[in-house]
Amino acid sequence: MGSEICHPDGTLNIRGGYITVDLYFTDTFQYAKLYTMRDSVERILANLGEVMWNEPEADKKLASLSAP
């Protein structure tokens, strides 16, 4: 699963009661484009949990959704 620009990674923590989905971007241009739309992305996913972002200038290009 994944694509040439993004690779998903999931974590299920039964004891802590949360699920996390991370999207690792290998294409920095695509990550920067998605980052500019983060308000819309967060609004769409608001009922699922909190979205956390790395700044586009950071070495790691990661968007993470944690849901209880």
Side-chain angles (χ1 to χ4, degrees):
M1 185 182 231
S3 73
E4 26 185 79
I5 63 168
C6 177
H7 304 281
D9 180 28
T11 303
L12 171 62
N13 182 331
I14 295 172
R15 210 174 274 165
Y18 67 86
I19 298 170
T20 300
V21 176
D22 295 330
L23 297 177
Y24 295 97
F25 283 78
T26 54
D27 185 322
T28 56
F29 175 76
Q30 294 299 330
Y31 179 80
K33 202 160 87 171
L34 181 64
Y35 186 84
T36 63
M37 300 185 308
R38 68 187 179 280
D39 290 339
S40 296
V41 171
E42 290 172 4
R43 219 175 5 264
I44 292 167
L45 299 174
N47 291 332
L48 296 176
E50 177 185 5
V51 180
M52 294 168 280
W53 303 86
N54 287 115
E55 295 293 323
E57 297 79 28
D59 288 339
K60 186 189 256 188
K61 307 298 184 230
L62 171 68
S64 180
L65 169 66
S66 291

